[in-house]
Structures are given as structure tokens and as C-alpha cells.
Amino acid sequence: MAELTQPATVLAVTDLTPHVRQLVIKPKTTKITFQPGQWVSLKLPVGPKPPLNRAYSMADPSSPFGELTLVFDHIPGGLGSTYLYKLRSGDEVFLSGPYGNFTLPQSLDRELLLIGRYTGLVPMRCLLKQMFFSKIQIPVLLIAVAPDEDEVLFHQEWLTMAMQHPSFRYLPLVAPNGEPEAVEKTLAMLTPLIKGQPKVHPMICGTKAFVRPLRAYFTGEGYDRKEVKVETYD
Ligand SMILES: Cc1cc2nc3c(=O)[nH]c(=O)nc-3n(C[C@H](O)[C@H](O)[C@H](O)COP(=O)(O)OP(=O)(O)OC[C@H]3O[C@@H](n4cnc5c(N)ncnc54)[C@H](O)[C@@H]3O)c2cc1C
């Protein structure tokens, strides 16, 4: 069956950090029902061969009214994100979806370990909000990596979640010198939590340069590749 591409209206535009923006959009034709961790494909009227397809994860769980919350950073020179930064309330954007398998593991029999860098935290936010709403009470550890002090995404929300849910732990870290430093600092945090400890359910999201070395760490510690869920953004 051909995928349905439909128009959506931009309802709200909010800056979350100096370089990260949130759009709330509402599909006009059909409500998109999705699982936390999934994404939609925006069809943007830019580039040498429009439409330009760009994927964006949902930042909020499915809402009864069908609006979708998307959060993205502006990549300097990036065709899609530059276009999205120009959208205003009332504008229209085309999309299809939902897609993707970066969803909660089938059986939640181990601690969940979420590791996200920058906008790689967007699907984590959706997963956690849905879990707490559904009163799923397994232990969860979130390692949230920011590229700058000003760019720590959802910090207040994670702190509030940690206060309200004793099963949730939040470890933020800032790595201003790119992915290699982000990987190094994350591994320093991870090693005592993983080495010789009971297995967890790792879920990792961000750019390939961040995600791949971390997945390799887990497989080196005896995890099967399939036990490490990943989503790469580039
Ligand atoms: C499944 C999936 C879900 C995604 N969800 C989100 C999301 O929720 N929020 C979000 O901000 N992005 C998300 N992305 C990334 C998004 O789809 C775009 O790739 C990103 O916005 C850059 O697009 P662009 O057209 O602006 O850059 P392009 O014009 O495609 O690229 C410009 C330059 O930036 C590099 N680049 C491309 N993507 C990235 C990136 N993500 N980080 C750093 N450098 C990059 C390219 O290699 C190129 O050198 C997701 C990607 C996938 C595959």
C-alpha cells in the first residue's frame, strides 16, 4: 500500500535552547497514531529534487487530538533544518508516517538504559512520558549528553521526572568537543554500571559517530547486537 502523504498545520513554534526548536503540528487528513520512539517523514519543498525527505521523532506521546510534537536542531547549512526554522504558526508542511522500531523492548525484564546525545534525546522523552503515564515502574537510567551548557535538552523535565519517580535516574553530561569526547565521557560513566553487572536493555540515539562506538562497547561486554537498540540520525 502506498504511504499516505498529508498536509499538516503548524500550530506552535517554541525555542527550547539557542539552537533547538519545537514545532507542534496537526495532520489535516488523518490522525497519526504511533508508538513512542517512532518518527514521521517530512516532505520539504527544498533541495535539488524536492520534496526533500527528513525524519523527525515524536517528542510527545500520541495525543487525543492528533497533534505531533517535533524537536530539532538547526544544522548550519542543513537544507531541511534551515527550512524548518523558517516555519511559522499557520504554515503547512507535508508528512507521512509513522515509521520505526526504536520502541520499548517487548519484555521489560531488565533495567532500561537510555543514552541520547542532543536531539537524540527526543525519542527518549516520548518513551519516558508514555512509561510514566502508563505507570510502568521498571528502573530506568537516562544518560543525557549535551554539546554545550546552553544546549542541555529537557533538563528541567528530567529533574522533575527524577523527583516524581524513584525508579528513574538522570545523569546529564556536557561534551563540547564533538562526538569523540561525548563517547569518551559516556563510556567513563557507563563502565562501572555495566562491567560485571546484570544485563540491561540499552537504547542509544544520536549521530553514527556517537552511537556506533557505544554499541561496540556493549557487544564487547557480551551483548548480542540485537540486544542494543539504536537509532542513528545522520
Ligand atoms: C529516524 C530518524 C529520526 C530523526 N529524528 C530527529 C529529531 O527528532 N530531531 C532532529 O533534530 N533530527 C532528527 N533526525 C535527523 C534529521 O532527519 C535530519 O537529518 C537533520 O535535521 C539534518 O537535516 P538537514 O537537511 O538540515 O541537513 P543535511 O543538509 O542533510 O546535512 C547537512 C550536513 O549535516 C550533517 N548532518 C546530517 N544530519 C545530521 C545530524 N542529525 N546531526 C549532525 N549533523 C548532521 C550531514 O552529514 C551534512 O554534512 C532524525 C533522523 C532519522 C534517520
Side-chain angles (χ1 to χ4, degrees):
M1 197 168 66
E3 62 181 43
L4 171 72
T5 293
Q6 58 173 317
T9 307
V10 176
L11 299 182
V13 180
T14 312
D15 284 329
L16 302 185
T17 72
H19 298 288
V20 175
R21 181 163 282 188
Q22 173 178 286
L23 287 186
V24 179
I25 62 174
K26 183 164 180 179
K28 283 182 170 176
T29 312
T30 308
K31 180 179 167 183
I32 294 181
T33 304
F34 59 91
Q35 293 180 56
Q38 290 192 300
W39 48 276
V40 287
S41 175
L42 299 190
K43 322 281 176 191
L44 307 174
V46 287
K49 261 178 69 185
L52 180 80
N53 293 312
R54 287 290 180 265
Y56 293 93
S57 311
M58 268 64 83
D60 270 319
S62 267
S63 101
F65 305 107
E67 66 274 25
L68 305 173
T69 306
L70 308 180
V71 172
F72 54 93
D73 60 315
H74 182 218
I75 299 204
L79 281 173
S81 56
T82 299
Y83 176 82
L84 289 177
Y85 249 78
K86 293 183 186 142
L87 289 176
R88 298 286 171 262
S89 288
D91 286 348
E92 198 171 69
V93 63
F94 283 78
L95 82 170
S96 67
Y99 305 104
N101 302 312
F102 192 68
T103 50
L104 281 180
Q106 291 282 345
S107 81
L108 291 171
D109 51 350
R110 305 173 185 169
E111 178 169 5
L112 190 62
L113 173 54
L114 306 176
I115 308 173
R117 177 176 176 270
Y118 205 23
T119 47
L121 290 162
V122 173
M124 315 295 188
R125 178 179 185 259
C126 194
L127 286 162
L128 285 168
K129 286 183 89 165
Q130 183 64 53
M131 279 181 68
F132 293 135
F133 179 77
S134 311
K135 304 210 183 316
I136 297 174
Q137 287 288 359
I138 56 155
V140 184
L141 172 62
L142 171 69
I143 299 182
V145 187
D148 205 297
E149 299 271 347
D150 290 347
E151 297 288 327
V152 184
L153 271 189
F154 313 126
H155 182 60
Q156 281 308 324
E157 286 188 52
W158 308 131
L159 289 176
T160 305
M161 282 181 189
M163 272 166 42
Q164 291 175 342
H165 304 280
S167 58
F168 175 64
R169 287 183 296 155
Y170 166 49
L171 295 178
L173 67 87
V174 176
N177 298 308
E179 281 95 337
E181 187 195 23
V183 169
E184 194 186 314
K185 286 188 167 178
T186 305
L187 284 176
M189 217 173 235
L190 269 183
T191 305
L193 301 169
I194 298 301
K195 217 171 189 47
Q197 300 298 320
K199 276 190 172 176
V200 297
H201 280 303
M203 295 182 73
I204 314 171
C205 185
T207 53
K208 291 187 187 101
F210 178 71
V211 170
R212 287 180 174 172
L214 295 178
R215 178 167 59 188
Y217 169 75
F218 281 99
T219 52
E221 288 299 323
Y223 284 69
D224 190 89
R225 254 176 94 87
K226 287 200 203 100
E227 288 181 298
V228 187
K229 280 205 167 196
V230 301
E231 188 84 282
T232 52
Y233 271 11
D234 56 343

